[in-house]
Amino acid sequence: MTRTDDMPTAWDERTQLTTFLDYARDTVRVKCEGLSDPDARKAPLPGSPLMTPSGLVSHLRWVEYYWFQVVFLGEEDEGPWTDEDPDREMRVAVDFPLAQLLGEYAEQAERYRKSVAGHDLDTRAQRVTRDGRHVDLRWILLHLIEETARHNGHLDIVRELIDGTTGS
């Protein structure tokens, strides 16, 4: 499969930000191509038992949910995490087929893509962050680019350790 190009179709700030986020999202999918469900559930780093390809995909899906739906739009937080298990989205991911996790991530990304298009980048989030700050949509997009790119690096490592696949 091909990946979205990281070169934007226009040079305005919104197009650049959304293009890079889409590129990072597509990179997640590309890094998971060809993985079997059993391999997607493997955690090859001894000190990181939650660092599975499935867990990383689930985490990224739920991170976007949190920043777009909970913080930006102000909806109630119905994520899988709890105070007792703040990383639950990574833990429960191994109970689902990788294709389902990737499909949900892609469907959600499409909804957020449309939602973002309807808001100015300077629009402030409905909720404050955990430290009491009011971020804007621009910051959320930048944060999600950073978060997704960082976890793509983790996917690089775990994929190579699982089956030797590198690159992409």
Side-chain angles (χ1 to χ4, degrees), residues 3-160:
R3 173 176 33 203
T4 300
D5 193 348
D6 65 349
M7 290 297 276
T9 57
W11 296 103
D12 61 286
E13 184 179 18
R14 173 186 301 280
T15 303
Q16 291 181 57
L17 291 171
T18 57
T19 298
F20 269 98
L21 182 54
D22 283 342
Y23 179 79
R25 288 168 171 154
D26 280 355
T27 300
V28 171
R29 178 187 42 79
V30 169
K31 292 193 177 301
C32 291
E33 283 180 355
L35 264 177
S36 67
D37 284 329
D39 281 349
R41 295 177 178 122
K42 289 181 180 176
L45 297 168
S48 300
L50 298 179
M51 188 84 55
T52 66
S54 292
L56 289 163
V57 172
S58 179
H59 173 70
L60 289 168
R61 177 237 196 266
W62 286 104
V63 163
E64 286 200 24
Y65 161 84
Y66 178 77
W67 284 105
F68 283 131
Q69 286 184 235
V70 177
V71 176
F72 187 68
L73 297 175
E75 296 178 9
E76 289 302 313
D77 186 356
E78 296 181 14
W81 39 71
T82 65
D83 289 339
E84 298 77 31
D85 193 359
D87 298 317
R88 188 169 178 265
E89 79 279 8
M90 295 182 85
R91 191 176 323 285
V92 301
V94 298
D95 296 333
F96 301 96
L98 180 60
Q100 178 182 339
L101 296 170
L102 288 166
E104 290 172 357
Y105 183 45
E107 289 170 14
Q108 177 181 273
E110 182 60 31
R111 280 195 315 274
Y112 296 149
R113 199 175 289 112
K114 290 175 183 172
S115 177
V116 165
H119 295 279
D120 186 271
L121 294 175
D122 292 323
T123 304
R124 295 275 180 197
Q126 295 294 311
R127 292 180 186 252
V128 295
T129 60
R130 292 182 182 117
D131 65 359
R133 295 186 211 182
H134 246 100
V135 296
D136 60 18
L137 179 57
R138 175 182 293 102
W139 185 92
I140 291 171
L141 289 168
L142 285 165
H143 175 68
L144 291 173
I145 292 166
E146 177 275 328
E147 177 93 9
T148 308
R150 182 166 43 93
H151 289 307
N152 277 333
H154 296 137
L155 278 168
D156 274 337
I157 294 166
V158 297
R159 181 70 192 261
E160 183 173 355

